[in-house]
Amino acid sequence: MASWEEQKALLKEKLDDEIHRFALPPEEVPSGSPYLEKLRVMLSVKDELLNIPLCGAQYEMLLGMENPLDAAFRFWENPAPDTCAAKGANFSETTYYFLLQEGEAYRGGLLYDRASAEFDALLEELKGLPLEQIIDRAYEKVIKEDLLILLEPGGLEQREIDTLLTFEHPLAALYGEWMDRDTSYMDLLRQTCDDLISFQEKQLRHHAFGKEGEIPEHLRDYYSFYGEEIENGALDFGEDLER
């Protein structure tokens, strides 16, 4: 991995190249063109990026972008509504919020890609195992697949993402935490079953399925078994039908 000094040098080279590709000879600049304004913004952001302390992840993000200065200009034109980086604000502020916005998306994708690579490696490993061992590890595959869904971009707060990125193998860390929990998968399934039964019993208590006083045929056995207890109040399911 390159040092921060090396990354800064690479970033300077990249930004210089972008400016060089964008720049036009003065005689080719159309009259009234927004070109000079965009060039001013790009040069100002470039100066900020090369003179503020950046972390390794920010260098990697900027070096991975095709045209970071163009992206910064587009952010300057249309800043995120929840930032104070309004158009025309100082470029230190613009650069700060640009890095913040781009960084959130970048690190969210980085976490998902890292965990996704772990899951793909697991699938490849399973393909080479005997059937009996594949069956033994089927639970691991199912749980990790569900955990991967939780890590999809947009599913976590930024601080949560950054915390999970401190793990070299976040999916394995999450699976290990799951296995250490007292609550098992079967407990969750049982709770789901209990919740559905409770809601359905409340519906039945209020005859929510009756039409014009008639009990649907598929419910008649239930009311034959418990109808009298329901009417006598022996079975109290509560009054709240909301879920």
Side-chain angles (χ1 to χ4, degrees):
M1 180 180 295
S3 67
W4 286 5
E5 291 79 8
E6 292 171 327
Q7 288 179 314
K8 184 175 182 177
L10 290 172
L11 179 60
K12 182 180 185 303
E13 181 180 346
K14 183 180 184 70
L15 300 182
D16 285 342
D17 178 66
E18 185 178 356
I19 291 292
H20 178 74
R21 287 184 283 108
F22 179 74
L24 294 173
E27 63 274 13
E28 293 184 17
V29 179
S31 177
S33 167
Y35 164 81
L36 291 177
E37 179 72 347
K38 181 173 182 178
L39 181 61
R40 180 180 74 89
V41 173
M42 292 173 68
L43 288 171
S44 298
V45 172
K46 173 195 167 187
D47 185 63
E48 288 291 330
L49 290 174
L50 295 178
N51 287 282
I52 60 175
L54 299 176
C55 68
Q58 289 173 318
Y59 277 120
E60 291 172 7
M61 175 190 73
L62 292 166
L63 289 170
M65 297 174 69
E66 185 174 358
N67 295 299
L69 295 178
D70 181 68
F73 173 75
R74 284 185 275 109
F75 174 81
W76 178 81
E77 280 196 307
N78 301 286
D82 58 344
T83 76
C84 59
K87 184 174 180 179
N90 69 74
F91 289 104
S92 294
E93 187 178 84
T94 297
T95 304
Y96 171 80
Y97 283 105
F98 167 69
L99 289 172
L100 187 65
Q101 175 179 279
E102 293 296 319
E104 289 178 355
Y106 173 76
R107 295 195 299 279
L110 190 64
L111 174 63
Y112 182 77
D113 290 345
R114 186 181 296 181
S116 183
E118 284 185 73
F119 187 72
D120 290 343
L122 171 64
L123 295 182
E124 286 300 314
E125 181 184 356
L126 292 177
K127 289 178 182 178
L129 296 178
L131 179 59
E132 183 177 345
Q133 293 184 36
I134 293 176
I135 294 173
D136 288 342
R137 297 185 63 181
Y139 178 81
E140 177 186 355
K141 185 262 184 187
V142 169
I143 296 300
K144 285 187 173 180
E145 189 169 23
D146 288 344
L147 289 170
L148 187 60
I149 293 173
L150 293 179
L151 301 181
E152 289 180 347
L156 296 174
E157 297 293 330
Q158 191 58 47
R159 185 178 294 273
E160 295 172 324
I161 291 171
D162 290 334
T163 301
L164 288 173
L165 279 171
T166 64
F167 293 101
E168 185 177 358
H169 303 290
L171 193 62
L174 286 167
Y175 180 69
E177 179 69 18
W178 170 262
M179 295 300 290
D180 289 339
R181 296 276 174 166
D182 292 335
T183 303
S184 71
Y185 195 62
M186 291 305 298
D187 290 333
L188 294 177
L189 291 177
R190 178 67 205 192
Q191 185 62 52
T192 299
C193 182
D194 290 345
D195 289 346
L196 178 63
I197 290 171
S198 176
F199 179 77
Q200 183 75 345
E201 285 179 334
K202 290 175 183 178
Q203 295 275 66
L204 293 164
R205 166 69 176 83
H206 289 270
H207 297 276
F209 300 103
K211 294 182 180 179
E212 300 179 358
E214 293 291 327
I215 297 175
E217 184 175 353
H218 69 285
L219 300 178
R220 288 176 184 171
D221 284 345
Y222 179 90
Y223 284 111
S224 295
F225 294 138
Y226 303 106
E228 185 175 345
E229 294 176 78
I230 291 174
E231 295 302 324
N232 293 336
L235 296 180
D236 183 12
F237 304 126
E239 298 299 320
D240 186 8
L241 292 178
E242 293 184 4
R243 302 188 71 170

